[in-house]
Amino acid sequence: MTPLLSDDTICALATAVGGAMAIIRISGSKAISITDKFFVSPRGKKLVTMSSNTVHYGEMLDDGGEVIDDVVVSIFRNPHSYTGEDTVEICCHGSRYIITLLLQRLISLGCRQAGPGEFTQRAFLNGKLDLSQAEAVADLISSTNASTHKMALSQLRGNFSHQLADLRDHLLHLTSLLELELDFSDHEDLEFADRSELLALAQTTERQIAALSNSFSAGKALRQGIAVAIIGKTNVGKSTLLNRLLHDDKAIVSDIHGTTRDVIEDTTQIGGVTFRFIDTAGIRATADAIERLGIERTYQKLDEATIVLWMTDTPPSPEEVSDILQRAKDKKLIAIVNKIDKTDQATYNPLAPTPPYQADIVLEVPIIPISAKKGTNIEQLENAIYQAADIPSITQNDVIVTHLRHYEALAKAHDDIIRVETGLQNGLSGDLLSEDLRACIDHLSEIVGGTITPDETLGNIFSYFCVGK
């Protein structure tokens, strides 16, 4: 990562390689003048004389005056650009050869190849975006479904920043009243704010911070994919079901018991949400050391999963029922009866309570009969999985915390405001209350970059961006 205050003019390809067209982005004080050195307009126009937010057709020439490509050049003058600096975007044909020649020409004329995320880093440093919005740019680029797209857009539009700004204003109001009293500390009975009103404001702020913090579990699941473990005995059709859900032959299917000996994972979307399905080794008693290791991993994945699909094709013993219910007691459990294509669908139910089963235990979980091989009732199963995920309805205006950095800052801010509440209830002095309020403000400010200055911290964040952003 380059120094934060670099005055270099930078360039990079801002689109994916391999398309019909490509965009090369240049940003910095010399962006327009450097581009002008090898851009030729049919009418002899010079880019340095052109207004901001204008588009110009022409040719880009190599150092020998030969045409590299016909292009369209867009001009954005500071501060009205993505980075807040003079910016040029060259739209050219997507040939790797053409792109390479144009970048080489720009570098030879004084540009420097941009580092990962350097354009967005400059946008942050020039006040075009706060830090949470800058991170949302990367989230938007990597969004893989409707939910992550909406969350990233909401954050990029500043909805999260606006909520934090409101919280900060409330906290500043609190601390300013308390610190004003400190200026008149000689007057022992003087109070500029009623303590009960301050407590009510602190409690309201605490609830808002807690709500943001609590949204992290849903945000994390939506970003990474909701983990769904498929478990059951050997040869009940777990791998066939995985392939059916993924619409791909991801797992080997065989009539031989113990074929799946390791965990197989992949993702797919249901209702615009990404689910991460995990096919596990079949559970059975075995002397095979490798298969036993696979079964151990089955239980590990069960612990990590949010949703557990318990698959069977024969009546389980009471011990099996008890074991599965115990292991999945903190999970959303769905029981699946497979291979109904081989039975009388109207009457077949291996999980039907018969002595010594306890009906109230077995029937408390959803039971869905399917044929993984034929695809029977798979849509019903997908609907049950989506319902079990309990995904909140998300719009482009909702704020869902998705980054661990944000969550940790909110957790610290929450601890600070709790101390303020406790201090107000116990009659703590204004100077100590003010100290906790200041700490709370600082932790909230970390999220948008208000108090972050070290190059290492900012460099770490922007290093995860792609080149060109």
Side-chain angles (χ1 to χ4, degrees), residues 101-285:
L101 287 180
L102 290 175
L103 287 173
Q104 288 176 342
R105 190 85 170 99
L106 285 165
I107 292 170
S108 70
L109 292 171
C111 284
R112 171 176 59 76
Q113 174 70 39
E118 192 171 353
F119 290 97
T120 304
Q121 181 183 7
R122 291 189 176 202
F124 164 70
L125 293 171
N126 290 323
K128 303 297 290 186
L129 303 169
D130 66 36
L131 197 55
S132 69
Q133 290 174 302
E135 289 170 305
V137 174
D139 291 344
L140 191 60
I141 293 169
S142 62
S143 61
T144 56
N145 57 56
S147 298
T148 53
H149 175 251
K150 289 176 182 177
M151 290 189 299
L153 270 181
S154 174
Q155 190 168 315
L156 181 59
R157 289 175 173 175
N159 293 328
F160 189 21
S161 304
H162 295 155
Q163 283 202 20
L164 293 173
D166 289 341
L167 288 171
R168 186 175 181 275
D169 288 345
H170 292 158
L171 292 167
L172 283 174
H173 178 64
L174 274 172
T175 193
S176 62
L177 291 173
L178 290 170
E179 291 183 2
L180 189 59
E181 289 179 4
L182 296 178
D183 292 337
F184 294 88
S185 57
D186 292 340
H187 302 272
E188 295 182 0
D189 297 329
L190 185 61
E191 285 189 357
F192 284 88
D194 182 89
R195 286 298 191 270
S196 61
E197 293 181 6
L198 291 179
L199 178 59
L201 184 55
Q203 289 172 334
T204 299
T205 304
E206 182 272 326
R207 286 193 294 271
Q208 292 173 321
I209 295 174
L212 287 172
S213 181
N214 291 339
S215 71
F216 176 66
S217 57
K220 180 182 177 183
L222 289 169
R223 283 190 73 202
Q224 298 181 354
I226 298 168
V228 183
I230 307 172
I231 66 169
K233 289 183 177 180
T234 59
N235 211 29
V236 295
K238 299 186 299 298
S239 296
T240 304
L241 177 61
L242 177 71
N243 292 340
R244 176 68 64 178
L245 291 168
L246 297 179
H247 309 286
D248 187 18
D249 292 334
K250 183 74 175 181
I252 296 173
V253 176
S254 170
D255 292 333
I256 302 172
H257 289 272
T259 302
T260 302
R261 297 190 173 201
D262 203 351
V263 171
I264 300 173
E265 298 187 31
D266 209 341
T267 60
T268 192
Q269 291 185 38
I270 301 175
V273 175
T274 299
F275 288 84
R276 179 162 48 89
F277 286 98
I278 309 164
D279 181 22
T280 60
I283 301 171
R284 66 168 180 166

Side-chain angles (χ1 to χ4, degrees), residues 63-90:
D63 55 3
E66 297 293 326
V67 176
I68 298 174
D69 194 15
D70 288 351
V71 299
V72 174
V73 175
S74 302
I75 302 294
F76 305 95
R77 294 187 180 274
N78 75 83
H80 306 295
S81 70
Y82 178 72
T83 61
E85 303 172 330
D86 285 350
T87 300
V88 175
E89 291 185 352
I90 302 172

Side-chain angles (χ1 to χ4, degrees), residues 321-333:
V321 175
S322 177
D323 180 58
I324 292 298
L325 291 176
Q326 177 63 29
R327 290 182 182 276
K329 63 180 179 179
D330 298 324
K331 315 291 180 183
K332 298 293 182 66
L333 179 63

